[in-house]
Amino acid sequence: MFDFVKKGQIVEGKVYQVKPNEILVALENAATEGKIYAEYYDNPAPADLTKVVKVGDVIRAKVTSASEGDDSFQILLSRLPLLNEEKINDIEKIYQDKKEIETVVKSSNDKGLILEYLGFELFLPYTLLDFELKDKKDELIGKKLTVLIEEFKADKRRPKMIATRKPIYEALRQKQNEERHQARQSELENIHTGDVLEGTVDSFESHAAFIKFNHISGMLRISQVSHHRIDKIEDVLAKGQKVTVKVIKKEGNRLDLSMKALQPTPYEAYLAEHRIGDTVKGKVVSKLPFGVLIELAQDVKGLLHKNEYSWNPKANMDAYIKIGDEMEVVILSKDLKKEKIALSKKAIEHNPWAGLTLRHGEIIEVRVEGVTKDGVNVSYESVDGFIPNNEAHNDPKVNIADHYQVGDVVKAIVTEFNRDNWVLKLSVRRLLENLERQEFEKYLGNESEQESVTLGDLFEDLKNKK
């Protein structure tokens, strides 16, 4: 006896005929077979039912229409309501088990993304979306996105669901943080004091730059950038610039770096190019009680001691030199360790006294260069000499200023000669007295003349010869 099925009834039967767009199902105890069209078999509808269904398959479906004609009875079936319930049950279980699902982004609005999963929509608020993905929301449309179901409200037709990515990206960030920490520790363990590394300028502080390596950073203080003074570190370094640095200190997770440790000091660079005996130029930058400091190059100074200024020991260096003067000097000595350079100006000048040899009492010819109240300034072979006023003549009545004229050549006796101290003193008086004595002795030596000539006559004769 056949039963008459009713609309909404759930039935079961075997497939006995399959066509590309429909299948016929033999229903148990039914008056006729049921028919399922492709669009009611699944969503989306299969393009060809023959490829997904075969004769003999058992199918459960819901009666959507049962109508009786003149000579037939037609039953239309649909699997979609049952599939829909199965999907809802599956989604609810996924929600309860807190499993991740792969959805497709359908659209976006001002509050969040609209997702699709198994034909159902989910809403993903921006507050539960990765921060970096929020800025790319328009690029996400049509792409797959893995989420968790945060809220689920059952409904036979269309459940309400809220999705979230917060646990996913938090777990991802946690994993990334752990990996970064492990990578940093591994890199740090392989860095030691004294290592030379290449890094990139990552950021700045007021008096330092941070240099990024693979996973860690080190601090490069402004004082370690150059041997020369730097007022602002950004003036010599730029963000993203590649630099080579030396690790000068490692303490815990902190690295202190230096660029200048890999550079020659100003003294090293200068002295590598200049030897003892080289003539160099510099500028006077400071006066000291015992000499002056001359800047030979940036941050390189040498000392010109007052004893090395001139061959003339009487020369007043302080009176002749002022700050800013440029000078040509010779390197006398250098001490790289103490960063000291000794200089000499007189070494490049001629010393007129060097080859001069005079004996006390020697008679020489000198040229008058000038007359002062103290005496007569003279010259002898490019050196200066002096005849004191009381040694300029043996007659005190003679006016020295009238007696000597500039350019006169006179003979004098050397009374003092010191080559090291540039001292040459002379006497005309002693020369004249010697000449008088010689004349006197000459007269005394003539016995015949002694008898007829008186001593007064001799002195009168000498005066007339002057």
Side-chain angles (χ1 to χ4, degrees):
M1 187 173 180
F2 298 103
D3 294 328
F4 290 95
V5 296
K6 298 178 181 180
K7 182 180 178 180
Q9 183 179 344
I10 304 299
V11 296
E12 187 176 284
K14 287 185 179 181
V15 176
Y16 74 88
Q17 186 180 14
V18 181
K19 295 180 180 181
N21 64 339
E22 65 179 45
I23 59 176
L24 296 178
V25 180
L27 302 177
E28 296 181 359
N29 302 322
T32 184
E33 72 277 357
K35 181 184 292 187
I36 303 177
Y37 290 104
E39 60 267 28
Y40 293 101
Y41 181 81
D42 204 348
N43 184 21
D48 187 352
L49 286 172
T50 61
K51 295 182 179 180
V52 294
V53 183
K54 62 181 183 295
V55 174
D57 286 349
V58 176
I59 291 180
R60 291 181 77 247
K62 188 174 185 179
V63 177
T64 59
S65 174
S67 59
E68 185 177 358
D70 295 338
D71 55 357
S72 66
F73 189 80
Q74 186 179 27
I75 300 174
L76 297 180
L77 306 175
S78 175
R79 295 178 67 246
L80 298 183
L82 299 183
L83 293 176
N84 200 46
E85 291 179 9
E86 289 177 5
K87 290 176 182 178
I88 292 174
N89 292 335
D90 291 342
I91 292 173
E92 186 173 10
K93 189 173 189 316
I94 290 171
Y95 163 70
Q96 293 172 349
D97 293 342
K98 298 182 179 180
K99 290 183 179 180
E100 295 179 4
I101 58 174
E102 190 175 77
T103 65
V104 175
V105 181
K106 289 181 63 179
S107 61
S108 65
N109 55 39
D110 58 344
K111 293 184 179 180
L113 300 178
I114 308 301
L115 313 178
E116 183 180 2
Y117 179 70
L118 297 181
F120 298 99
E121 288 187 352
L122 299 88
F123 179 66
L124 174 57
Y126 290 133
T127 54
L128 300 178
L129 179 65
D130 315 47
F131 181 78
E132 58 273 17
L133 292 182
K134 181 180 178 181
D135 296 333
K136 302 177 181 179
K137 59 183 180 179
D138 293 333
E139 300 175 17
L140 294 175
I141 296 174
K143 295 183 179 179
K144 294 180 180 179
L145 190 65
T146 301
V147 298
L148 288 166
I149 301 174
E150 176 76 4
E151 294 182 17
F152 177 87
K153 291 184 179 180
D155 187 297
K156 291 184 179 181
R157 292 185 177 182
R158 187 173 299 277
K160 295 180 180 179
M161 294 178 286
I162 303 296
T164 180
R165 274 190 54 82
K166 188 174 181 179
I168 297 174
Y169 66 69
E170 285 183 346
L172 179 61
R173 288 174 184 173
Q174 178 67 25
K175 181 181 179 182
Q176 291 173 341
N177 288 337
E178 291 175 357
E179 290 175 348
R180 281 195 295 267
H181 177 74
Q182 186 176 358
R184 284 197 296 267
Q185 289 302 115
S186 177
E187 184 177 10
L188 189 63
E189 289 173 1
N190 290 313
I191 294 177
H192 306 90
T193 301
D195 287 354
V196 176
L197 308 172
E198 185 177 274
T200 304
V201 178
D202 188 52
S203 60
F204 293 102
E205 283 189 354
S206 57
H207 296 291
F210 289 93
I211 310 302
K212 182 70 178 293
F213 304 111
N214 291 330
H215 304 286
I216 61 174
S217 296
M219 177 181 283
L220 175 63
R221 301 180 189 275
I222 192 171
S223 60
Q224 291 298 325
V225 175
S226 172
H227 291 287
H228 305 298
R229 176 179 173 82
I230 297 173
D231 294 323
K232 191 176 180 182
I233 196 167
E234 291 91 336
D235 292 340
V236 293
L237 294 177
K239 193 172 181 179
Q241 179 181 342
K242 296 285 186 182
V243 292
T244 301
V245 294
K246 183 177 182 179
V247 180
I248 57 174
K249 185 179 180 181
K250 179 183 178 182
E251 186 174 342
N253 294 332
R254 197 179 91 180
L255 297 177
D256 284 344
L257 311 173
S258 174
M259 288 177 64
K260 77 176 186 181
L262 301 175
Q263 305 164 359
T265 67
Y267 280 86
E268 287 172 341
Y270 186 83
L271 294 179
E273 298 180 359
H274 298 86
R275 301 178 180 178
I276 293 176
D278 285 356
T279 300
V280 295
K281 290 183 179 181
K283 182 182 291 186
V284 177
V285 293
S286 178
K287 284 188 175 183
L288 303 171
F290 47 84
V292 295
L293 289 178
I294 298 177
E295 187 175 54
L296 304 172
Q298 186 179 5
D299 294 330
V300 177
K301 299 180 181 67
L303 173 66
L304 174 61
H305 196 277
K306 62 182 181 180
N307 293 339
E308 292 297 328
Y309 173 69
S310 172
W311 290 108
N312 186 354
K314 301 185 185 79
N316 186 352
M317 180 177 69
D318 191 60
Y320 290 109
I321 293 179
K322 60 182 181 294
I323 302 296
D325 283 353
E326 290 191 356
M327 300 185 65
E328 192 172 56
V329 290
V330 169
I331 297 177
L332 283 184
S333 65
K334 58 184 182 178
D335 188 331
L336 180 58
K337 187 175 181 180
K338 294 182 179 180
E339 294 190 339
K340 291 184 178 181
I341 301 175
L343 306 171
S344 174
K345 179 177 174 290
K346 73 179 186 181
I348 57 177
E349 298 176 345
H350 171 64
N351 182 6
W353 294 74
L356 191 63
T357 302
L358 294 174
R359 299 185 307 277
H360 185 273
E362 185 176 349
I363 299 173
I364 61 175
E365 285 189 346
V366 296
R367 182 180 185 277
V368 176
E369 301 294 342
V371 181
T372 68
K373 63 182 182 64
D374 296 322
V376 182
N377 294 319
V378 298
S379 63
Y380 173 75
E381 295 186 3
S382 300
V383 304
D384 296 329
F386 183 68
I387 303 173
N389 200 30
N390 60 353
E391 298 292 338
H393 205 277
N394 64 343
D395 187 352
K397 297 179 181 179
V398 173
N399 187 337
I400 301 303
D402 295 334
H403 187 75
Y404 291 100
Q405 302 296 320
V406 174
D408 288 350
V409 177
V410 297
K411 288 184 178 181
I413 290 179
V414 176
T415 58
E416 185 179 351
F417 174 72
N418 189 316
R419 186 168 42 231
D420 294 334
N421 294 323
W422 281 28
V423 175
L424 174 59
K425 289 185 178 180
L426 305 152
S427 174
V428 173
R429 180 183 65 78
R430 294 186 191 185
L431 176 62
L432 292 175
E433 287 178 351
N434 288 344
L435 290 174
E436 288 180 353
R437 187 178 296 108
Q438 290 174 10
E439 289 289 336
F440 179 66
E441 290 176 353
K442 179 180 178 182
Y443 280 107
L444 289 178
N446 192 330
E447 294 179 356
S448 60
E449 291 182 355
Q450 289 179 0
E451 295 176 354
S452 58
V453 180
T454 65
L455 186 60
D457 294 334
L458 288 175
F459 278 110
E460 184 65 29
D461 188 35
L462 284 173
K463 288 181 179 179
N464 293 333
K465 288 182 178 182
K466 289 182 181 179

